[in-house]
Amino acid sequence: MLGLAPDSATHRKALRNLLQATLLILGVTFISFLLMVYFGPDQTYTLIGKNATPQQIAEVRHQLGYDQPFFQRYGQFLASLFTLDLGVSHSTGEQVRTILARSLPVSLALVIPGFILGNLIGLLLGMAAAWQSGRWLDRLITTLSVSTMSISFLIIVIALQIVLCTPYGLNLFPARGWNVSGLSSYLYYVAVPTLALILTNAGYSARFYRAVFVQEAGREHIRVARAYGASPFTLMTVHVLKNSLLAVLTRIMFSLPLVLVSGSLLLETYFGIPGIGKVTFDAITNGDQPLLLAVVGLTAVLFVLVSLLADVAYRLADPRIR
Amino acid sequence: MRVTNSKDVARTAVLISLALSAALLLSCRPQSEDPATQAGANDSGVARSNARVNVYRHSMDGAPTSLDPIHASNIYANFLVVNLYDTLYRYSYLARPYQLTPNLAESLPEVSADGLIYTIRIKPSVHFIDDPSFPDGKGRPIRAEDFVYSMKRHFDPAMRSQGNWMWQGKIVGLDEWKESGAHYAADIPGLRALDDRTLQIQLITPFPQLTHTLAQGYAAIVPSEAVSHYGSEFGVRPVGSGPFMLKSFDSTRAILQRNEKFRAEAFNLVSEGYDPASQQVFGVESLEGQAPPFVDRVEVEFIAEDAARWNTFNSGLLDFVKVPVTQFDRVLAERNPPRLKPELEQRYHLLANLESGFVHTDFNMDDQRIGHHPDAEQDSRNRALRCAMVKAFDWPRRNEIFYSGLGHVFPGVIVPITPEFDRKQSLQSITRNLDEAQSLLKRNGWNADNLPVLEYGLPSSVTERQMFEQFRSFMADIGYPEEKIRPLTFASYGDYARAYLNREVMLITSSWTMDYPDSENTMQLYFGPNASPGANNANYRNPEYDRLYREAAVMPESPMRTAIYRQMSQMVIDDCVSITGLSRTLILMWDKRFRMLPDRSFVGGYFLRFATDATDGEVPAVLEP
């Protein structure tokens, strides 16, 4: 019924998508690897001791694999991504896979509530602004959105910490940490980071969704529906939102990988949360290439997967798309 | 049809949301089930942490990446390593100036008359902690052979030690052992276990600092079984015999718990160097006769960001903090000497801890535009240029702007914390004199047109950039064109280090933290053979300086050696090799319910075993700021 019955056209499309995805992964990982090798951090000089001799420097470079030919290293990198045997962190000596398996769930648990709520609030505000386009409510929402967009994420984090987590303010939540052992402690630790994410995401989302909805609301069929007496709620949800679903899906799906890595970086650093953002930040500052390459490579793969999933989601949302 | 489709989409979305929520809840499993993080299991999470019993919560402004002693290259790693492992020696808890005292060793080493053979007896019946790497999981006794093994690891190229420079070229046969393939079964003539409790170290030439090196985290003793068992993960699975053992460790915190099997040794005020006049206020005398460690659990939070660290301390989640410079005005009633504001003084102790090192800006003497030059006349002109820049540098201003006026500015390279420091030396090299600087330039034919372009290296950070701008403004005061002083910015400290170790930077601003309280450790910074990639980043070459260094390096501490060090320091001043120097003052603040004397210098992490909760867990309410 949804047009997903396998036929030769579908197979060809799937094959083409797979080929495109493979080429995309190769391209993205190649560029990432190239940048990392030639412009990324070099851990040699962090790992050598004081008064190192040129011979000792050469030994460390050899152990880090820096003296191997570029394409040999790239091949090893691809093989490690393919087999998920991501090697050992040069800083801690732990298996990269172990580090990621430990930190990824923490990051997901940290950012998902803020991501969902930020987008939900953004959607609602965007709809309200679009419905009241040009009136005081629209102007109010736009002003608030621009305000939150203009304030640095760092300032929002520090301000929330002071207001909610210290005796200078309300001192209701922890300024730091992630001792999660159940739902109540989860809510306790996730509340302030979530609030920070909502404050930054909702503004951007509201502005974006408003623009999409305003465009959609100006179409002929909406005017007809309005003339037939459809309520504002029905108009905005059933007609406007549904017809804008592709743009909404695109924004949500493609921002997830970014939110997961870069969005949690500041939060995890400031709130002392051992998630993937903190791990990535530390890998950058320590020059831990195996860890960094794993994060970059897997993020690239995640983007490609999201892209493939987006194709499926588009077809679910709009069966006209083949 | 389309309505049906949209319903399906909505239903799918709801199902996905539910599945996602369930996955999230599952991912939030109780920490007690997770060995990697189970130390947090005692925390209810919602319960405020000041209700805990016998827990000391420490903070550090950086994080270690590995707890393997061979990687204990910074104060953060060293802090934890000396608590998880045993070293033969440590520094007395309270003695200032710092004094060595036995730790795992029974006594200070017996040294042969020629200063070449050190014999050390270790204490009996000291055990490693229980660990799966041992047969039956029971920690076995430490043997002298374990020390030999631990030292060999430093010279095994596969281990990538960061501490082998301490003993390189010092111990008979050790370097040769490495060159011949680093086979652990092979003996080293200069490093022998005479029996289970007796060690003998034979030196190539006298090395009076050897005992100091045995008090470093690098020299901690590890069991070979654990190294083999954990392989590359040994750095996060420490198995030692120190006063604490590790419960959990990640990039944000480490949790230690008391090692119940730690040897019982009564605390002795006299042997720890107690000074009632200056230390009575900390309440440590009540510990007399008791056996450390005194707290059950230590939580060490790694918080690099000043604002986050300060907010966490203020929220009552920490017992100790190194106060950020930006908060000095908020907490200090007086600066000289530093004193807390009365409302804070009720609850907190304060300690102004002068760092065991200094910050300085070296000229790259290998760069002929400003350093050594084969042509004697140009060499002399370059020296005049460097001296003019030294005289143009405004140390009081640098101290005021970046160190809140609490730094200790001093001439030369003998830092104030060492016994060799000369309090009566001339302050001329740190006194700004623009007239003399301009006169020097003029007399040596330097003018705005022929002054060389200077490349000032700095890692990318706001503070480093501000320091550069201040430096440039100081030089502008003697007519150095601003466009001729250029920043050479590097993305990370590692990249910056790579550049200056490859001699690619003209002006190198850096800090040096001493490894032990002996000025030999800073004198070697200008020793010719240590030129980059060694520690002599200035690439200073002065045959007379090198001769004196070699002469003093084998001498034990004495007035004669002090005189030589001072002579060498004066050479660095006279040749204008460096714009030096300033030792930073760290303001340490901690809750008065803890009786302790924390230290960021040579005692470092060793103080932790002596920290005690005076209230035994009865915590007063958090004071409002």
Side-chain angles (χ1 to χ4, degrees), chain A residues 44-45 48 52-68, chain B residues 157 160 178 533:
Chain A
T44 313
Y45 294 89
I48 55 171
T53 61
Q55 185 200 345
Q56 285 168 329
I57 292 173
E59 277 171 11
V60 173
R61 288 187 65 77
H62 177 68
Q63 285 165 12
L64 296 175
Y66 291 173
D67 56 351
Q68 290 176 8
Chain B
R160 229 162 39 212
K178 178 189 172 187

Side-chain angles (χ1 to χ4, degrees), chain A residues 1-2 42 45-47 50-51 56 63 92-93 95 161 165 167 176 179-180 188 269 282 286 316 319, chain B residues 1 5 31 43 45 65 157 160 162 165 168 232-233 251 253 302-303 305 311 314-315 498 515 524 535:
Chain A
M1 193 163 74
L2 293 173
D42 179 340
Y45 294 89
T46 313
L47 291 179
K50 295 169 181 172
N51 284 326
Q56 285 168 329
Q63 285 165 12
T92 67
Q95 288 286 335
Q161 264 196 344
C165 311
R176 189 179 165 77
N179 293 329
V180 174
Y188 178 61
T269 305
D282 291 340
N286 295 328
L316 283 170
Chain B
M1 180 74 173
N5 281 348
Q31 288 205 317
D43 309 333
T65 52
R160 229 162 39 212
Q162 292 171 286
W165 61 275
Q168 202 165 281
S232 68
E233 297 205 345
S251 58
R253 68 193 323 219
F302 311 127
I303 318 176
E305 301 72 28
N311 286 340
N314 273 313
S315 66
R498 176 174 56 181
D515 299 281
Q524 55 101 24

Side-chain angles (χ1 to χ4, degrees), chain A residues 1-2 38-43 45-57 59-61 63-64 88-95 98 102 105-106 108-110 112-113 116 158 161-162 165-169 171-186 188-189 242-243 245 268-275 278-279 281-282 284-286 316-320, chain B residues 1-6 8-9 12 20 24-25 27-31 34 36-37 40 43-48 52 65-66 71 73 157-165 168 178-179 232-237 249-253 301-303 305-308 310-312 314-317 327 330 492 494-495 497-498 501-502 512-515 521 524 530 533-536 622-625:
Chain A
M1 193 163 74
L2 293 173
Y38 290 107
F39 301 102
D42 179 340
Q43 208 175 13
Y45 294 89
T46 313
L47 291 179
I48 55 171
K50 295 169 181 172
N51 284 326
T53 61
Q55 185 200 345
Q56 285 168 329
I57 292 173
E59 277 171 11
V60 173
R61 288 187 65 77
Q63 285 165 12
L64 296 175
V88 170
S89 157
H90 284 162
S91 300
T92 67
E94 270 186 297
Q95 288 286 335
T98 311
R102 187 174 64 226
V106 174
L108 280 171
L110 176 70
I112 291 287
I116 291 174
I158 293 176
Q161 264 196 344
I162 292 171
C165 311
T166 70
Y168 298 112
N171 206 13
L172 294 173
F173 295 99
R176 189 179 165 77
W178 189 257
N179 293 329
V180 174
S181 54
L183 186 62
S184 61
S185 61
Y186 170 59
Y188 178 61
Y189 281 100
K242 201 177 75 180
N243 285 303
L245 216 49
E268 290 172 8
T269 305
Y270 263 80
F271 286 95
I273 297 169
K278 180 85 171 75
V279 162
F281 179 77
D282 291 340
I284 293 169
T285 51
N286 295 328
L316 283 170
D318 188 347
R320 290 169 303 180
Chain B
M1 180 74 173
R2 296 198 66 181
V3 172
T4 311
N5 281 348
S6 68
D8 285 347
V9 170
T12 309
L20 202 60
L24 275 178
L25 286 174
S27 74
C28 302
R29 62 180 163 157
Q31 288 205 317
D34 183 354
T37 53
D43 309 333
S44 68
V46 180
R48 302 310 301 264
R52 296 176 193 137
T65 52
S66 169
H71 295 136
S73 61
M159 291 290 164
R160 229 162 39 212
S161 160
Q162 292 171 286
N164 56 12
W165 61 275
Q168 202 165 281
K178 178 189 172 187
E179 295 305 322
S232 68
E233 297 205 345
F234 180 65
V236 291
R237 310 269 182 191
F249 169 58
D250 59 41
S251 58
T252 63
R253 68 193 323 219
E301 302 282 345
F302 311 127
I303 318 176
E305 301 72 28
D306 284 347
W310 185 245
N311 286 340
T312 310
N314 273 313
S315 66
L317 293 172
Q327 301 296 331
R330 188 189 293 265
S492 67
D495 291 342
R498 176 174 56 181
L501 291 177
N502 283 315
W512 178 263
T513 302
M514 294 178 74
D515 299 281
N521 197 243
Q524 55 101 24
N530 284 353
N536 177 5
V622 176
L623 292 181
E624 293 299 322

Side-chain angles (χ1 to χ4, degrees), chain A residues 292-303:
Chain A
L292 202 48
L293 282 170
V295 173
V296 169
L298 292 177
T299 307
V301 172
L302 191 61
F303 259 108

Side-chain angles (χ1 to χ4, degrees), chain A residues 117-311:
Chain A
L117 288 173
N119 273 290
L120 210 59
I121 292 170
L123 268 175
L124 293 174
L125 291 176
M127 276 197 272
W131 177 248
Q132 296 287 309
S133 179
R135 297 182 198 167
W136 70 269
L137 185 61
D138 178 26
R139 283 198 289 273
L140 179 68
I141 291 171
T142 305
T143 306
L144 286 175
S145 300
V146 171
S147 304
T148 58
M149 286 160 66
S150 311
I151 302 172
S152 152
F153 189 33
L154 187 63
I155 300 295
I156 289 177
V157 168
I158 293 176
L160 284 176
Q161 264 196 344
I162 292 171
V163 172
L164 295 172
C165 311
T166 70
Y168 298 112
L170 301 170
N171 206 13
L172 294 173
F173 295 99
R176 189 179 165 77
W178 189 257
N179 293 329
V180 174
S181 54
L183 186 62
S184 61
S185 61
Y186 170 59
L187 294 174
Y188 178 61
Y189 281 100
V190 86
V192 182
T194 297
L195 205 54
L197 269 180
I198 290 172
L199 280 175
T200 44
N201 279 349
Y204 282 102
S205 300
R207 289 277 293 161
F208 175 83
Y209 295 135
R210 178 199 172 275
V212 172
F213 296 151
V214 163
Q215 194 182 16
E216 192 62 35
R219 293 191 191 279
E220 195 64 29
H221 66 278
I222 302 293
R223 276 205 291 275
V224 171
R226 193 177 296 186
Y228 272 98
S231 70
F233 181 78
T234 307
L235 269 178
M236 292 311 292
T237 54
V238 175
H239 299 287
V240 174
L241 175 62
K242 201 177 75 180
N243 285 303
S244 310
L245 216 49
L246 293 189
V248 173
L249 277 175
T250 305
R251 179 178 170 79
I252 290 175
M253 295 195 75
F254 282 92
S255 57
L256 188 58
L258 274 181
V259 169
L260 195 59
V261 179
S262 56
S264 62
L265 195 146
L266 258 181
L267 281 179
E268 290 172 8
T269 305
Y270 263 80
F271 286 95
I273 297 169
I276 196 81
K278 180 85 171 75
V279 162
T280 309
F281 179 77
D282 291 340
I284 293 169
T285 51
N286 295 328
D288 194 343
Q289 283 201 5
L291 192 47
L292 202 48
L293 282 170
V295 173
V296 169
L298 292 177
T299 307
V301 172
L302 191 61
F303 259 108
V304 172
L305 286 178
V306 164
S307 164
L308 289 174
L309 281 175
D311 273 354

Side-chain angles (χ1 to χ4, degrees), chain B residues 402-456:
Chain B
F402 293 99
Y403 306 105
S404 211
L406 290 174
H408 185 152
V409 180
F410 64 94
V413 291
I414 299 177
V415 301
I417 203 169
T418 58
E420 294 88 3
F421 182 69
D422 182 3
R423 294 182 193 284
K424 294 177 188 164
Q425 64 188 316
S426 162
L427 301 180
Q428 207 178 0
S429 69
I430 51 170
T431 306
R432 196 175 203 215
N433 190 332
L434 294 179
D435 290 340
E436 203 178 328
Q438 283 164 332
S439 167
L440 258 176
L441 290 178
K442 197 173 174 184
R443 282 204 310 271
N444 287 275
W446 291 111
N447 56 50
D449 294 329
N450 65 10
L451 281 168
V453 171
L454 294 177
E455 287 154 357
Y456 181 109

Side-chain angles (χ1 to χ4, degrees), chain B residues 450-471:
Chain B
N450 65 10
L451 281 168
V453 171
L454 294 177
E455 287 154 357
Y456 181 109
L458 68 152
S460 178
S461 90
V462 174
T463 306
E464 295 287 347
R465 179 74 196 202
Q466 287 170 335
M467 285 184 171
F468 161 74
E469 294 296 350
Q470 192 196 48
F471 174 84

